[in-house]
Protein backbone atom coordinates (compact mmCIF):
# COMPACT_ATOMS: atom_id res chain seq x y z
CA UNK A 1 0.00 0.00 0.00
CA UNK A 2 2.79 2.43 0.94
CA UNK A 3 4.92 1.50 -2.09
CA UNK A 4 1.94 2.02 -4.40
CA UNK A 5 1.13 5.33 -2.71
CA UNK A 6 4.66 6.79 -2.69
CA UNK A 7 6.05 5.20 -5.83
CA UNK A 8 9.43 3.47 -6.19
CA UNK A 9 11.53 6.66 -6.07
CA UNK A 10 9.95 8.22 -2.96
CA UNK A 11 9.77 4.87 -1.19
CA UNK A 12 13.46 4.40 -1.95
CA UNK A 13 14.24 7.90 -0.61
CA UNK A 14 12.40 7.14 2.62
CA UNK A 15 14.26 3.87 3.01
CA UNK A 16 17.72 5.31 2.45
CA UNK A 17 17.19 8.35 4.70
CA UNK A 18 14.29 7.57 6.98
CA UNK A 19 14.79 3.84 7.07
CA UNK A 20 16.63 4.26 10.34
CA UNK A 21 13.25 4.98 11.92
CA UNK A 22 12.51 1.29 11.43
CA UNK A 23 15.93 0.50 12.95
CA UNK A 24 15.17 2.50 16.08
CA UNK A 25 13.50 -0.57 17.57
CA UNK A 26 16.80 -2.41 17.19
CA UNK A 27 18.79 0.47 18.70
CA UNK A 28 16.28 0.70 21.53
CA UNK A 29 16.51 -2.99 22.46
CA UNK A 30 20.30 -3.05 22.14
CA UNK A 31 20.85 -0.02 24.35
CA UNK A 32 18.26 -1.34 26.80
CA UNK A 33 20.45 -4.41 27.32
CA UNK A 34 22.85 -2.32 29.40
CA UNK A 35 20.25 -0.96 31.81
CA UNK A 36 18.33 -4.24 31.80
CA UNK A 37 21.46 -6.12 32.84
CA UNK A 38 21.78 -4.03 36.01
CA UNK A 39 18.00 -3.95 36.55
CA UNK A 40 17.73 -7.73 36.34
CA UNK A 41 20.45 -8.16 38.95
CA UNK A 42 18.71 -5.71 41.28
CA UNK A 43 15.32 -7.32 40.55
CA UNK A 44 16.70 -10.71 41.53
CA UNK A 45 17.89 -9.33 44.85
CA UNK A 46 14.69 -7.36 45.49
CA UNK A 47 16.70 -4.18 46.08
CA UNK A 48 14.20 -1.38 45.35
CA UNK A 49 16.59 1.41 46.32
CA UNK A 50 19.27 0.13 43.94
CA UNK A 51 16.72 -0.20 41.13
CA UNK A 52 15.71 3.44 41.57
CA UNK A 53 19.38 4.43 41.56
CA UNK A 54 20.05 2.48 38.36
CA UNK A 55 16.98 3.98 36.63
CA UNK A 56 17.95 7.58 37.42
CA UNK A 57 21.61 7.19 36.49
CA UNK A 58 20.66 5.41 33.28
CA UNK A 59 18.23 8.19 32.40
CA UNK A 60 20.95 10.85 32.76
CA UNK A 61 23.47 8.83 30.74
CA UNK A 62 21.00 8.36 27.90
CA UNK A 63 20.25 12.08 27.85
CA UNK A 64 23.98 12.62 27.27
CA UNK A 65 24.00 9.96 24.52
CA UNK A 66 20.96 11.64 22.91
CA UNK A 67 22.69 15.05 22.89
CA UNK A 68 25.83 13.55 21.34
CA UNK A 69 23.72 11.80 18.71
CA UNK A 70 22.01 15.06 17.71
CA UNK A 71 25.38 16.74 17.20
CA UNK A 72 26.69 13.79 15.18
CA UNK A 73 23.64 13.53 12.89
CA UNK A 74 23.54 17.29 12.25
CA UNK A 75 27.28 17.47 11.57
CA UNK A 76 27.24 14.72 8.90
CA UNK A 77 24.10 16.03 7.19
CA UNK A 78 25.85 18.41 4.70
CA UNK A 79 28.38 15.75 3.70
CA UNK A 80 25.66 13.14 3.31
CA UNK A 81 23.48 15.23 1.01
CA UNK A 82 26.26 16.92 -0.96
CA UNK A 83 28.63 14.00 -1.51
CA UNK A 84 26.94 10.62 -1.12
CA UNK A 85 23.19 10.49 -1.66
CA UNK A 86 21.85 9.97 -5.17
CA UNK A 87 18.47 11.74 -4.96
CA UNK A 88 16.54 13.57 -7.72
CA UNK A 89 17.02 17.35 -7.41
CA UNK A 90 13.31 18.05 -7.02
CA UNK A 91 13.13 15.75 -3.96
CA UNK A 92 16.13 17.11 -2.02
CA UNK A 93 14.07 19.46 0.21
CA UNK A 94 11.62 16.70 1.11
CA UNK A 95 14.52 14.31 1.75
CA UNK A 96 16.02 16.77 4.24
CA UNK A 97 12.70 16.96 6.13
CA UNK A 98 12.70 13.16 6.26
CA UNK A 99 16.21 13.34 7.74
CA UNK A 100 15.05 15.73 10.50
CA UNK A 101 12.18 13.36 11.35
CA UNK A 102 14.82 10.64 11.67
CA UNK A 103 16.74 12.74 14.20
CA UNK A 104 13.55 13.37 16.18
CA UNK A 105 12.68 9.65 16.29
CA UNK A 106 16.23 8.69 17.22
CA UNK A 107 16.35 11.05 20.19
CA UNK A 108 12.97 9.86 21.47
CA UNK A 109 14.12 6.27 21.27
CA UNK A 110 17.40 6.85 23.12
CA UNK A 111 15.82 8.88 25.93
CA UNK A 112 13.19 6.19 26.53
CA UNK A 113 15.67 3.30 26.72
CA UNK A 114 15.60 3.15 30.58
CA UNK A 115 11.82 2.62 30.50
CA UNK A 116 12.14 -0.21 27.99
CA UNK A 117 14.79 -1.81 30.22
CA UNK A 118 12.45 -1.66 33.23
CA UNK A 119 9.69 -3.42 31.28
CA UNK A 120 12.11 -6.11 30.12
CA UNK A 121 13.49 -6.61 33.63
CA UNK A 122 9.94 -7.15 34.91
CA UNK A 123 9.27 -9.50 31.94
CA UNK A 124 6.09 -7.58 31.12
CA UNK A 125 5.11 -9.22 27.83
CA UNK A 126 1.45 -8.19 28.22
CA UNK A 127 2.43 -4.55 27.71
CA UNK A 128 4.39 -5.39 24.54
CA UNK A 129 1.43 -7.34 23.17
CA UNK A 130 -0.97 -4.41 23.71
CA UNK A 131 1.44 -1.78 22.41
CA UNK A 132 2.17 -3.98 19.38
CA UNK A 133 -1.52 -4.00 18.45
CA UNK A 134 -1.76 -0.22 18.92
CA UNK A 135 1.35 0.35 16.79
CA UNK A 136 0.05 -1.89 14.01
CA UNK A 137 -3.29 -0.04 13.92
CA UNK A 138 -1.52 3.33 13.81
CA UNK A 139 0.70 2.18 10.93
CA UNK A 140 -2.39 1.01 9.05
CA UNK A 141 -3.98 4.42 9.67
CA UNK A 142 -0.86 6.19 8.36
CA UNK A 143 -0.95 4.03 5.23
CA UNK A 144 -4.57 4.99 4.52
CA UNK A 145 -3.82 8.68 5.09
CA UNK A 146 -1.04 8.49 2.50
CA UNK A 147 -3.17 6.63 -0.02
CA UNK A 148 -5.99 9.18 0.12
CA UNK A 149 -3.79 12.27 0.43
CA UNK A 150 -3.31 14.62 -2.53
CA UNK A 151 -0.27 16.44 -1.12
CA UNK A 152 3.40 15.54 -0.77
CA UNK A 153 2.90 11.94 0.33
CA UNK A 154 6.55 11.33 1.23
CA UNK A 155 6.52 14.35 3.52
CA UNK A 156 3.23 13.31 5.13
CA UNK A 157 4.41 9.72 5.57
CA UNK A 158 7.76 10.66 7.17
CA UNK A 159 6.17 13.13 9.63
CA UNK A 160 3.44 10.68 10.65
CA UNK A 161 5.97 7.87 11.06
CA UNK A 162 8.04 10.16 13.31
CA UNK A 163 5.03 10.84 15.53
CA UNK A 164 4.43 7.09 15.94
CA UNK A 165 7.28 6.57 18.45
CA UNK A 166 6.22 9.77 20.23
CA UNK A 167 2.83 8.18 20.92
CA UNK A 168 4.03 4.68 21.84
CA UNK A 169 6.97 5.87 23.95
CA UNK A 170 4.78 8.38 25.79
CA UNK A 171 2.44 5.53 26.68
CA UNK A 172 5.44 3.55 27.90
CA UNK A 173 6.64 6.40 30.11
CA UNK A 174 3.21 6.93 31.73
CA UNK A 175 2.76 3.18 32.24
CA UNK A 176 6.16 2.71 33.90
CA UNK A 177 5.76 5.66 36.29
CA UNK A 178 2.34 4.34 37.30
CA UNK A 179 3.23 0.66 37.81
CA UNK A 180 6.91 0.51 38.88
CA UNK A 181 8.22 2.20 42.01
CA UNK A 182 11.79 2.47 40.67
CA UNK A 183 10.56 4.81 37.91
CA UNK A 184 10.65 7.99 39.95
CA UNK A 185 13.05 10.89 39.59
CA UNK A 186 15.40 11.28 42.55
CA UNK A 187 18.61 12.41 40.91
CA UNK A 188 20.38 13.76 43.98
CA UNK A 189 19.62 10.77 46.21
CA UNK A 190 20.40 8.29 43.46
CA UNK A 191 23.73 9.69 42.32
CA UNK A 192 26.47 7.15 43.07
CA UNK A 193 29.80 7.51 41.27
CA UNK A 194 30.54 3.79 41.66
CA UNK A 195 27.30 2.82 39.96
CA UNK A 196 27.76 5.62 37.38
CA UNK A 197 31.18 4.26 36.48
CA UNK A 198 29.91 0.68 36.16
CA UNK A 199 26.88 1.57 34.04
CA UNK A 200 28.80 4.12 31.93
CA UNK A 201 31.56 1.63 31.16
CA UNK A 202 29.14 -1.13 30.25
CA UNK A 203 26.85 1.25 28.31
CA UNK A 204 29.79 2.69 26.39
CA UNK A 205 30.95 -0.68 25.04
CA UNK A 206 27.34 -1.72 24.46
CA UNK A 207 26.68 1.49 22.54
CA UNK A 208 29.72 0.76 20.36
CA UNK A 209 28.19 -2.50 19.13
CA UNK A 210 24.76 -0.88 18.71
CA UNK A 211 25.95 2.16 16.78
CA UNK A 212 28.33 0.14 14.59
CA UNK A 213 25.47 -2.15 13.58
CA UNK A 214 23.09 0.76 12.98
CA UNK A 215 25.79 2.63 11.05
CA UNK A 216 26.34 -0.39 8.81
CA UNK A 217 22.67 -1.05 8.09
CA UNK A 218 22.02 2.58 7.20
CA UNK A 219 25.43 3.00 5.60
CA UNK A 220 24.72 0.11 3.27
CA UNK A 221 21.51 1.87 2.21
CA UNK A 222 23.57 4.96 1.34
CA UNK A 223 26.16 2.85 -0.53
CA UNK A 224 23.42 1.04 -2.44
CA UNK A 225 21.82 4.38 -3.30
CA UNK A 226 25.13 5.87 -4.44
CA UNK A 227 25.86 3.05 -6.90
CA UNK A 228 22.37 1.96 -8.01
CA UNK A 229 19.86 4.72 -7.16
CA UNK A 230 16.60 4.83 -5.21
CA UNK A 231 14.82 1.93 -6.96
CA UNK A 232 17.11 -0.63 -5.28
CA UNK A 233 16.57 1.19 -2.00
CA UNK A 234 12.87 0.45 -2.49
CA UNK A 235 13.70 -3.24 -2.95
CA UNK A 236 15.85 -3.14 0.19
CA UNK A 237 13.06 -1.42 2.11
CA UNK A 238 10.58 -4.13 1.15
CA UNK A 239 13.09 -6.81 2.22
CA UNK A 240 13.43 -5.10 5.60
CA UNK A 241 9.66 -4.97 6.04
CA UNK A 242 9.21 -8.64 5.14
CA UNK A 243 12.04 -9.60 7.50
CA UNK A 244 10.61 -7.48 10.32
CA UNK A 245 7.16 -9.05 10.05
CA UNK A 246 8.39 -12.65 9.79
CA UNK A 247 10.85 -12.33 12.70
CA UNK A 248 8.45 -10.50 15.06
CA UNK A 249 7.50 -13.64 17.02
CA UNK A 250 11.13 -14.61 17.48
CA UNK A 251 12.04 -11.09 18.61
CA UNK A 252 9.23 -11.03 21.18
CA UNK A 253 10.27 -14.44 22.47
CA UNK A 254 13.80 -13.14 23.06
CA UNK A 255 12.41 -10.16 24.99
CA UNK A 256 10.85 -12.64 27.41
CA UNK A 257 13.94 -14.87 27.53
CA UNK A 258 16.68 -12.22 27.98
CA UNK A 259 15.96 -11.43 31.66
CA UNK A 260 15.91 -15.18 32.43
CA UNK A 261 19.33 -15.64 30.80
CA UNK A 262 20.79 -12.68 32.73
CA UNK A 263 19.48 -14.04 36.05
CA UNK A 264 20.85 -17.53 35.27
CA UNK A 265 24.21 -15.98 34.39
CA UNK A 266 24.27 -14.23 37.75
CA UNK A 267 23.87 -17.60 39.48
CA UNK A 268 27.18 -18.80 37.96
CA UNK A 269 25.56 -22.12 36.97
CA UNK A 270 27.21 -22.70 33.58
CA UNK A 271 25.17 -25.83 32.78
CA UNK A 272 21.91 -23.98 33.40
CA UNK A 273 23.10 -21.03 31.30
CA UNK A 274 24.09 -23.36 28.44
CA UNK A 275 20.74 -25.16 28.56
CA UNK A 276 18.61 -22.02 28.43
CA UNK A 277 20.76 -20.32 25.76
CA UNK A 278 20.80 -23.40 23.51
CA UNK A 279 17.03 -23.84 23.80
CA UNK A 280 16.49 -20.12 23.22
CA UNK A 281 18.79 -20.15 20.18
CA UNK A 282 17.04 -23.15 18.66
CA UNK A 283 13.45 -22.05 19.27
CA UNK A 284 14.06 -18.45 18.11
CA UNK A 285 15.56 -19.74 14.85
CA UNK A 286 12.73 -22.27 14.38
CA UNK A 287 10.12 -19.54 14.85
CA UNK A 288 11.66 -17.59 11.98
CA UNK A 289 11.99 -20.72 9.81
CA UNK A 290 8.31 -21.57 10.36
CA UNK A 291 7.31 -18.39 8.50
CA UNK A 292 10.38 -17.74 6.36
CA UNK A 293 10.77 -20.98 4.40
CA UNK A 294 7.25 -21.19 2.88
CA UNK A 295 7.38 -17.45 2.18
CA UNK A 296 10.77 -17.80 0.45
CA UNK A 297 9.46 -20.65 -1.71
CA UNK A 298 6.34 -18.69 -2.74
CA UNK A 299 8.00 -15.25 -2.59
CA UNK A 300 7.27 -14.35 -6.22
CA UNK A 301 3.52 -14.94 -5.85
CA UNK A 302 3.26 -13.29 -2.40
CA UNK A 303 5.01 -10.12 -3.56
CA UNK A 304 2.92 -9.97 -6.74
CA UNK A 305 -0.25 -10.01 -4.60
CA UNK A 306 1.12 -7.54 -2.03
CA UNK A 307 2.64 -5.05 -4.50
CA UNK A 308 1.27 -3.56 -7.69
CA UNK A 309 4.80 -3.51 -9.13
CA UNK A 310 7.69 -5.50 -7.65
CA UNK A 311 10.99 -3.57 -7.86
CA UNK A 312 13.95 -5.38 -9.41
CA UNK A 313 16.01 -7.56 -7.03
CA UNK A 314 13.26 -7.54 -4.37
CA UNK A 315 12.75 -11.33 -4.30
CA UNK A 316 16.46 -12.12 -3.93
CA UNK A 317 16.91 -9.35 -1.34
CA UNK A 318 14.03 -10.73 0.76
CA UNK A 319 15.37 -14.28 0.66
CA UNK A 320 18.95 -13.32 1.54
CA UNK A 321 17.79 -11.01 4.33
CA UNK A 322 15.83 -13.85 5.94
CA UNK A 323 18.88 -16.15 5.75
CA UNK A 324 20.95 -13.46 7.45
CA UNK A 325 18.35 -13.08 10.22
CA UNK A 326 18.25 -16.83 10.98
CA UNK A 327 22.05 -16.96 11.23
CA UNK A 328 22.15 -13.97 13.59
CA UNK A 329 19.23 -15.18 15.70
CA UNK A 330 20.87 -18.54 16.43
CA UNK A 331 23.63 -16.97 18.55
CA UNK A 332 21.75 -14.01 20.09
CA UNK A 333 20.91 -15.78 23.41
CA UNK A 334 24.62 -16.50 23.95
CA UNK A 335 25.34 -12.80 23.40
CA UNK A 336 22.81 -12.04 26.14
CA UNK A 337 24.69 -14.39 28.48
CA UNK A 338 27.95 -12.55 27.68
CA UNK A 339 26.25 -9.26 28.54
CA UNK A 340 25.07 -10.82 31.78
CA UNK A 341 28.69 -11.31 32.88
CA UNK A 342 29.35 -7.57 32.49
CA UNK A 343 32.88 -7.59 31.03
CA UNK A 344 32.15 -6.97 27.34
CA UNK A 345 35.12 -4.85 26.19
CA UNK A 346 36.80 -7.49 24.00
CA UNK A 347 33.49 -8.78 22.73
CA UNK A 348 32.29 -5.27 21.83
CA UNK A 349 35.47 -4.42 19.90
CA UNK A 350 35.48 -7.58 17.78
CA UNK A 351 31.71 -7.57 17.25
CA UNK A 352 31.90 -3.95 16.08
CA UNK A 353 34.68 -4.84 13.63
CA UNK A 354 32.44 -7.56 12.17
CA UNK A 355 29.57 -5.06 12.02
CA UNK A 356 31.59 -2.55 10.00
CA UNK A 357 33.16 -4.98 7.52
CA UNK A 358 30.07 -5.35 5.24
CA UNK A 359 30.29 -1.67 4.25
CA UNK A 360 33.94 -2.03 3.25
CA UNK A 361 33.34 -5.21 1.25
CA UNK A 362 30.23 -3.77 -0.45
CA UNK A 363 32.07 -0.61 -1.55
CA UNK A 364 34.90 -2.74 -3.00
CA UNK A 365 32.42 -5.04 -4.77
CA UNK A 366 30.25 -2.23 -6.18
CA UNK A 367 33.30 -0.24 -7.28
CA UNK A 368 34.36 -3.31 -9.27
CA UNK A 369 30.90 -3.44 -10.91
CA UNK A 370 29.75 -6.26 -8.65
CA UNK A 371 26.13 -7.37 -8.35
CA UNK A 372 23.81 -5.73 -5.78
CA UNK A 373 23.55 -9.09 -3.97
CA UNK A 374 27.03 -8.42 -2.57
CA UNK A 375 25.29 -6.18 -0.06
CA UNK A 376 23.58 -9.21 1.52
CA UNK A 377 26.46 -11.63 0.94
CA UNK A 378 28.71 -9.29 2.94
CA UNK A 379 26.11 -9.10 5.71
CA UNK A 380 25.84 -12.90 5.86
CA UNK A 381 29.63 -13.37 5.87
CA UNK A 382 30.54 -10.79 8.52
CA UNK A 383 27.53 -9.70 10.62
CA UNK A 384 26.06 -13.19 10.37
CA UNK A 385 28.75 -15.89 10.39
CA UNK A 386 31.59 -13.64 11.59
CA UNK A 387 29.46 -12.19 14.37
CA UNK A 388 28.40 -15.68 15.48
CA UNK A 389 32.04 -16.80 15.67
CA UNK A 390 32.83 -13.82 17.92
CA UNK A 391 29.83 -14.64 20.13
CA UNK A 392 30.80 -18.31 20.41
CA UNK A 393 34.41 -17.43 21.29
CA UNK A 394 33.43 -15.03 24.08
CA UNK A 395 30.59 -17.30 25.17
CA UNK A 396 33.22 -19.94 25.88
CA UNK A 397 35.64 -17.44 27.43
CA UNK A 398 33.16 -15.63 29.71
CA UNK A 399 30.32 -18.11 30.31
CA UNK A 400 31.93 -21.50 29.67
CA UNK A 401 29.43 -22.20 26.88
CA UNK A 402 30.89 -24.89 24.64
CA UNK A 403 31.04 -24.03 20.89
CA UNK A 404 31.05 -27.76 20.01
CA UNK A 405 27.88 -28.32 22.05
CA UNK A 406 26.33 -25.31 20.32
CA UNK A 407 27.04 -26.88 16.94
CA UNK A 408 25.67 -30.24 18.14
CA UNK A 409 22.57 -28.92 19.95
CA UNK A 410 21.67 -25.85 17.87
CA UNK A 411 23.42 -25.36 14.52
CA UNK A 412 23.16 -28.87 13.04
CA UNK A 413 19.56 -29.45 14.25
CA UNK A 414 18.45 -26.08 12.81
CA UNK A 415 20.30 -26.84 9.56
CA UNK A 416 18.62 -30.26 9.35
CA UNK A 417 15.17 -28.83 10.12
CA UNK A 418 15.69 -26.20 7.40
CA UNK A 419 16.68 -28.86 4.86
CA UNK A 420 13.62 -31.02 5.61
CA UNK A 421 11.25 -28.03 5.44
CA UNK A 422 12.74 -26.85 2.14
CA UNK A 423 12.53 -30.38 0.69
CA UNK A 424 8.86 -30.76 1.70
CA UNK A 425 8.00 -27.33 0.33
CA UNK A 426 9.86 -27.62 -2.98
CA UNK A 427 8.62 -31.16 -3.72
CA UNK A 428 4.98 -30.17 -3.36
CA UNK A 429 5.61 -26.88 -5.15
CA UNK A 430 6.90 -29.00 -8.05
CA UNK A 431 3.77 -31.16 -7.91
CA UNK A 432 1.52 -28.06 -7.72
CA UNK A 433 3.46 -25.53 -9.86
CA UNK A 434 0.78 -22.86 -9.63
CA UNK A 435 1.01 -19.29 -8.39
CA UNK A 436 -2.22 -18.99 -6.40
CA UNK A 437 -3.58 -18.98 -2.86
CA UNK A 438 -4.27 -22.73 -2.79
CA UNK A 439 -0.71 -23.74 -3.74
CA UNK A 440 0.69 -21.24 -1.23
CA UNK A 441 -1.46 -22.68 1.58
CA UNK A 442 -0.42 -26.24 0.63
CA UNK A 443 3.22 -25.15 0.63
CA UNK A 444 2.79 -23.71 4.14
CA UNK A 445 1.09 -26.90 5.36
CA UNK A 446 3.81 -29.15 3.92
CA UNK A 447 6.69 -27.13 5.36
CA UNK A 448 4.93 -27.20 8.73
CA UNK A 449 4.64 -31.00 8.52
CA UNK A 450 8.34 -31.15 7.66
CA UNK A 451 9.08 -28.91 10.65
CA UNK A 452 7.10 -31.10 13.08
CA UNK A 453 8.59 -34.37 11.80
CA UNK A 454 12.18 -33.09 11.91
CA UNK A 455 11.75 -31.45 15.31
CA UNK A 456 10.51 -34.61 16.99
CA UNK A 457 12.88 -37.01 15.21
CA UNK A 458 16.22 -35.22 15.54
CA UNK A 459 15.70 -31.49 16.13
CA UNK A 460 14.82 -31.36 19.84
CA UNK A 461 16.40 -32.77 22.97
CA UNK A 462 14.33 -34.88 25.38
CA UNK A 463 13.82 -31.93 27.77
CA UNK A 464 12.79 -29.64 24.90
CA UNK A 465 10.23 -32.22 23.73
CA UNK A 466 8.79 -32.28 27.26
CA UNK A 467 8.47 -28.47 27.18
CA UNK A 468 6.58 -28.61 23.87
CA UNK A 469 4.32 -31.41 25.11
CA UNK A 470 3.50 -29.54 28.33
CA UNK A 471 2.65 -26.39 26.36
CA UNK A 472 0.37 -28.37 24.03
CA UNK A 473 -1.32 -30.03 27.02
CA UNK A 474 -1.84 -26.69 28.78
CA UNK A 475 -3.24 -25.16 25.60
CA UNK A 476 -5.61 -28.07 24.93
CA UNK A 477 -7.03 -27.89 28.48
CA UNK A 478 -8.47 -24.47 27.69
CA UNK A 479 -10.79 -26.06 25.13
CA UNK A 480 -12.01 -28.92 27.31
Amino acid sequence: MILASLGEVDFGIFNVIGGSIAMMGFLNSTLANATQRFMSYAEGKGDEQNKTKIFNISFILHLIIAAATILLLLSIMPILFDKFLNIPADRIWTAKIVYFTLIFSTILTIVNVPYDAVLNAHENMFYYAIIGVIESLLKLGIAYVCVYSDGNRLLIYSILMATLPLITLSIMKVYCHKHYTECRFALRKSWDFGVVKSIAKFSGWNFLTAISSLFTVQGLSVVLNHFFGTVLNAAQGIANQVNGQLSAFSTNMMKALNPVIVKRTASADSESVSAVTFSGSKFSAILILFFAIPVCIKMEYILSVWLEEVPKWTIVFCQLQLIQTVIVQMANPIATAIYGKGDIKGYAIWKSIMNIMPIILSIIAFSSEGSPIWLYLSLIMFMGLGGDIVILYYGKLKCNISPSLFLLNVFFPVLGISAVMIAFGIIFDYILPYQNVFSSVVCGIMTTIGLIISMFTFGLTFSEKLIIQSLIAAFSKRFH
Side-chain angles (χ1 to χ4, degrees), residues 333-380:
I334 301 176
T336 301
I338 296 169
Y339 276 89
K341 284 296 183 182
D343 181 13
I344 61 170
K345 178 181 177 181
Y347 164 80
I349 292 172
W350 281 105
K351 191 67 166 65
S352 298
I353 291 172
M354 290 298 171
N355 288 346
I356 294 295
M357 287 302 296
I359 284 190
I360 299 172
L361 182 60
S362 294
I363 291 174
I364 294 172
F366 295 159
S367 299
S368 304
E369 299 183 354
S371 166
I373 65 171
W374 274 103
L375 182 145
Y376 287 97
L377 294 179
S378 64
L379 282 172
I380 291 170

Side-chain angles (χ1 to χ4, degrees), residues 222-236:
V222 175
V223 171
L224 191 68
N225 171 264
H226 181 76
F227 285 96
F228 299 103
T230 56
V231 173
L232 260 67
N233 286 125
Q236 184 193 28

Side-chain angles (χ1 to χ4, degrees), residues 309-323:
E309 183 178 351
V310 180
K312 188 179 180 181
W313 294 99
T314 302
I315 294 173
V316 177
F317 280 10
C318 288
Q319 292 167 337
L320 291 175
Q321 178 63 66
L322 288 168
I323 293 171

